[in-house]
């Protein structure tokens, strides 16, 4: 065919369908995000994230840089089942797909619309993660409709005793972040001003190690109460011993919630 009504030469137009064009676009994006990280940077972040030991990671990035810097991690596609294991590889959930499977990339309007289908697995899973965990959001604003929807749904889940309030902390980079105080955002999240992401993650890692050690001490104290009659007597009669145990138990309410612990405390108080 010759020139069209608008003067363009139709003979030069590729005979490509819409689906073929989308596939070509996604495969091109997958190639472009085949990124590598240099060794020094990898080692630095390996150490930081090993100390932090996240239970899971969610990202909208197509690349696999996170898998490169998080020790013992595995990439999951949007529709993959995403367990939260106590041990094993750290699941990195690619909400918008990843480069190893170009068809999984969320790029077009149709792709984004599919995320909003009622009962969509990734949406439901994301809301459960928000509800069941303390979430730190890095390098991402709360503007994505899927994330906002999951956060809203997380706030509707209820326990036997009260409604569960999602614990979401959004790191907000600013030049003088360390001099600013956190505030509550429009969606109930805690906005944490930061100026150095590496320093913040290192600090969290140190606090996590201290908290785990403190919780383990609380469990050991409870074990002593359960097994040692002399300790139980001191707990009930000696103010110093009693304060030591109560301070540990008050700091770690999750330890007290165990039925065996409650039975032990009831025995001591009797």
């Amino acid at each position: 065919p010759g020139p069209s009504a608008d003067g363009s030469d139709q003979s030069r137009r590729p005979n490509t369908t819409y689906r073929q064009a989308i596939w070509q676009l996604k495969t091109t994006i997958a190639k472009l995000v085949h990124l590598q990280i240099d060794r020094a940077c990898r080692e630095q972040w390996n150490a930081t994230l090993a100390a932090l030991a996240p239970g899971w990671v969610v990202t909208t990035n197509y690349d696999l840089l996170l898998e490169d810097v998080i020790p013992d991690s595995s990439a999951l596609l949007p529709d993959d089942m995403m367990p939260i294991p106590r041990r094993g590889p750290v699941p990195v959930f690619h909400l918008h797909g990843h480069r190893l499977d170009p068809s999984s990339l969320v790029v077009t309007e149709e792709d984004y619309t599919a995320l909003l289908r009622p009962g969509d697995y990734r949406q439901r899973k994301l809301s459960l993660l928000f509800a069941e965990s303390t979430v730190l959001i890095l390098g991402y604003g709360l503007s994505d409709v899927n994330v906002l929807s999951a956060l809203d749904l997380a706030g509707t889940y209820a326990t036997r005793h009260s409604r569960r309030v999602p614990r979401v902390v959004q790191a907000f980079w600013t030049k003088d972040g360390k001099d600013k105080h956190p505030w509550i955002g429009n969606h109930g999240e805690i906005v944490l001003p930061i100026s150095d992401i590496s320093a913040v993650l290192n600090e969290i890692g140190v606090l996590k190690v201290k908290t785990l050690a403190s919780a383990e001490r609380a469990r050991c104290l409870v074990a002593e109460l359960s097994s040692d009659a002399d300790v139980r007597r001191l707990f009930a009669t000696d103010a110093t011993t009693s304060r030591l145990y109560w301070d540990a138990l008050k700091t770690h309410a999750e330890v007290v919630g165990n039925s065996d612990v409650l039975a032990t405390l009831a025995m001591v108080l009797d």
Side-chain angles (χ1 to χ4, degrees):
S4 62
D6 61 4
S8 62
D9 190 348
Q10 292 184 343
S11 63
R12 296 182 179 179
R13 293 183 178 179
N15 185 21
T16 304
T17 67
Y18 175 76
R19 290 186 179 278
Q20 289 172 331
I22 294 301
W23 173 250
Q24 291 175 8
L25 173 63
K26 291 185 176 184
T27 53
T28 299
I29 292 174
K31 293 176 182 177
L32 291 174
V33 297
H34 189 179
L35 307 175
Q36 301 291 328
I37 188 169
D38 67 79
R39 181 176 179 180
C41 188
R42 180 189 296 109
E43 291 177 349
Q44 174 193 344
W45 284 104
N46 276 168
T48 296
L49 293 168
L52 185 61
W56 52 268
V57 176
V58 174
T59 179
T60 54
N61 289 4
Y62 305 139
D63 60 70
L64 299 178
L65 291 180
L66 282 170
E67 286 79 357
D68 214 12
V69 297
I70 299 177
D72 192 19
S73 59
S74 61
L76 295 179
L77 287 170
D79 294 324
D80 288 342
M81 298 296 289
M82 184 180 173
I84 309 179
R86 293 181 180 273
R87 294 182 179 86
V90 177
V92 180
F93 182 55
H94 288 261
L95 188 64
H96 291 172
H98 62 59
R99 65 173 180 81
L100 295 182
D101 184 354
S103 65
S104 70
L105 303 187
V106 175
V107 176
T108 67
E109 182 178 356
E110 292 93 331
D111 295 333
Y112 279 94
T113 301
L115 296 181
L116 300 176
R117 291 172 182 161
D120 182 75
Y121 173 75
R122 79 191 85 185
Q123 193 72 6
R124 183 70 64 178
K125 188 61 182 180
L126 190 59
S127 66
L128 288 171
L129 290 173
F130 280 146
E132 297 169 351
S133 312
T134 297
V135 180
L136 175 63
I137 299 178
L138 297 170
Y140 194 81
L142 283 178
S143 57
D144 186 287
V145 65
N146 300 290
V147 175
L148 288 177
S149 175
L151 183 59
D152 178 70
L153 183 59
T156 66
Y157 295 135
T159 66
R160 291 183 302 167
H161 306 290
S162 62
R163 176 159 296 190
R164 173 74 164 79
V165 178
R167 295 169 297 188
V168 176
V169 179
Q170 181 185 14
F172 176 76
W173 189 92
T174 176
K175 187 176 180 180
D176 53 352
K178 63 180 180 179
D179 300 322
K180 292 188 175 182
H181 296 291
W183 67 89
I184 302 299
N186 295 332
H187 307 284
E189 76 280 10
I190 300 172
V191 181
L192 177 67
I194 67 171
S195 55
D196 186 338
I197 185 173
S198 179
V200 170
L201 293 181
N202 281 324
E203 184 177 352
I204 293 174
V206 171
L207 288 174
K208 183 171 184 178
V209 170
K210 290 181 178 179
T211 300
L212 291 175
S214 178
E216 181 58 30
R217 170 144 180 78
R219 281 188 283 270
C220 290
L221 291 175
V222 168
E224 289 179 358
L225 281 174
S226 303
S227 61
D228 194 321
D230 290 335
V231 172
R232 289 197 296 273
R233 187 185 72 255
L234 285 172
F235 179 79
T237 60
D238 182 72
T240 302
T241 302
S242 178
R243 187 178 302 111
L244 171 68
Y245 281 80
W246 279 121
D247 287 346
L249 294 174
K250 285 188 295 184
T251 304
H252 298 282
E254 73 279 4
V255 175
V256 182
N258 183 288
S259 58
D260 293 336
V261 175
L262 294 176
T264 298
L265 291 176
M267 178 175 59
V268 171
L269 294 175
D270 286 343

